[in-house]
Amino acid sequence: MLKTLYPSLLKNSVFNQLPVGLRYMLLSALGFSLMAACVKLVSATGMPIFQIVAARALISLVISYLDIKRKKIPVWGNNKPLLITRGTVGTLGLICVYYAIAHLPLAEATILQYLHPVFTAVLALLFLKERIQMSTIICIALSILGLIITVKPNMLASNAVELPTFAVGIAMLGAFFSAVAYTIVKRLSKGEDSSVIVFYFPFIALPLSLILLGGEAQMPTLFEATLLLLIGIFTQIGQVCLTKAMQTEAASKATACSYIQVVFSILLGVLLFNELPSVWTLLGGSLIIVGTLINIFGSQRAAPNK
């Protein structure tokens, strides 16, 4: 009886009732949250950021290559220049993200990553000559206000603690590279298999991170090696699910669900690092998230009118 009841309950669960794009985005958010927690744990042991990036890239490269072989599709894809660009930009963004995770509380590092819609809008205006909609203007305004409250809370309360300026700057740079990478992935998704897109990320990240690492590599302990392995696995889950979500019809709606990663990060920060977000972090993060949601759904309503 249990054998027949369990599949029935699983099939009718809330998760399985969600659209495919939403499910992929939720799994992606969870994967990236667990990855960030592992990065913070292993960086606390003193391991160089570039070595963490290299280890993550090696694991992801092997998994991606095996996945491509399983699908029996060409490894190098069709649009090689754009795939290489995506891999390079993604690598630079990854380095920035890992640095921010290592030097900022987990919740704050995650929240700052979600400034990428602001950069996407600016890039679209400057390089694609796209008209910025009112929803996007509201998103930018709320995101900037949320950023100020999160990073410089002492402007509102004298006893509030500021975040380190350099680490915040690196986090924002990571958000910028993420905006560029997401734009390229959306373009590539129309003609490239998701596994090929994911493959080029570690294919570029591995040699670049090893060059930047130089002679500073250190032999990992068993605990560190386990964390490095988990970083690669969780990142692969996050990347594949994100790419698949963007290839579905529900991808634009699913983007809104990616903000559950902030909740995951807050919970992991409390459980693993005893990092309780301040009221300013929660307020600023909420403004950033609300602004982006307004932009997402505002853009959806405006699309049929074009």
Side-chain angles (χ1 to χ4, degrees):
M1 181 177 178
L2 288 176
K3 290 183 178 181
T4 57
L5 180 61
Y6 180 73
S8 177
L9 290 173
L10 187 62
K11 184 177 180 180
N12 295 318
S13 66
V14 175
F15 181 78
N16 280 297
Q17 298 305 312
L18 295 174
V20 175
L22 292 178
R23 277 184 273 167
Y24 276 128
M25 194 57 81
L26 286 172
L27 289 173
S28 174
L30 179 59
F32 284 133
S33 298
L34 292 170
M35 173 273 295
C38 290
V39 168
K40 195 167 185 67
L41 283 170
V42 75
S43 64
T45 67
M47 180 167 289
I49 294 297
F50 294 128
Q51 184 171 349
I52 300 174
V53 173
R56 171 259 192 254
L58 177 61
I59 296 168
S60 187
L61 185 66
V62 173
I63 296 175
S64 299
Y65 181 77
L66 293 176
D67 188 43
I68 289 174
K69 287 300 182 182
R70 178 185 62 82
K71 291 183 176 181
K72 297 181 179 179
I73 57 177
V75 174
W76 304 113
N78 303 309
N79 194 338
K80 295 181 183 65
L82 199 58
L83 284 165
I84 292 173
T85 302
R86 184 267 182 273
T88 304
V89 171
T91 300
L92 295 175
L94 184 67
I95 293 170
C96 292
V97 169
Y98 279 13
Y99 182 91
I101 290 171
H103 293 85
L104 292 171
L106 198 56
E108 281 81 348
T110 303
I111 288 171
L112 290 174
Q113 266 300 295
Y114 282 100
L115 288 169
H116 65 79
V118 175
F119 293 113
T120 302
V122 174
L123 289 171
L125 175 65
L126 294 177
F127 298 104
L128 303 179
K129 306 302 179 184
E130 291 184 0
R131 182 175 62 87
I132 295 184
Q133 301 170 0
M134 180 55 66
S135 60
T136 303
I137 295 174
I138 295 173
C139 170
I140 293 174
L142 289 177
S143 295
I144 292 175
L145 179 60
L147 174 65
I148 293 172
I149 292 174
T150 302
V151 177
K152 296 287 186 179
N154 61 348
M155 295 177 65
L156 301 175
S158 58
N159 60 341
V161 179
E162 285 189 16
L163 296 176
T165 303
F166 184 77
V168 169
I170 295 297
M172 293 179 65
L173 191 59
F176 170 76
F177 286 129
S178 294
V180 178
Y182 288 155
T183 303
I184 296 175
V185 167
K186 191 62 178 175
R187 171 81 176 274
L188 287 170
S189 295
K190 297 177 181 179
E192 302 285 356
D193 187 88
S194 61
S195 297
V196 174
I197 298 173
V198 172
F199 171 78
Y200 267 84
F201 196 168
F203 178 72
I204 300 296
L206 181 58
L208 183 57
S209 58
L210 287 176
I211 292 172
L212 294 173
L213 178 62
E216 297 182 5
Q218 64 183 49
M219 181 63 66
T221 64
L222 178 60
F223 175 69
E224 292 169 338
T226 302
L227 288 174
L228 291 174
L229 178 62
L230 290 175
I231 288 171
I233 293 173
F234 289 139
T235 305
Q236 190 72 8
I237 292 172
Q239 285 288 343
V240 170
C241 290
L242 173 63
T243 304
K244 284 184 174 295
M246 295 188 72
Q247 288 179 319
T248 67
E249 293 182 4
S252 59
K253 294 180 181 179
T255 303
C257 259
S258 69
Y259 287 89
I260 194 68
Q261 184 178 341
V262 176
V263 178
F264 291 149
S265 296
I266 290 174
L267 293 175
L268 289 171
V270 173
L271 293 174
L272 298 178
F273 309 104
N274 198 28
E275 297 173 345
L276 189 62
S278 69
V279 64
W280 303 111
T281 295
L282 296 176
L283 177 59
S286 297
L287 288 174
I288 293 172
I289 293 173
V290 168
T292 307
L293 293 178
I294 290 174
N295 183 42
I296 292 170
F297 294 114
S299 299
Q300 282 183 298
R301 286 197 298 269
N305 298 326
K306 291 183 179 181

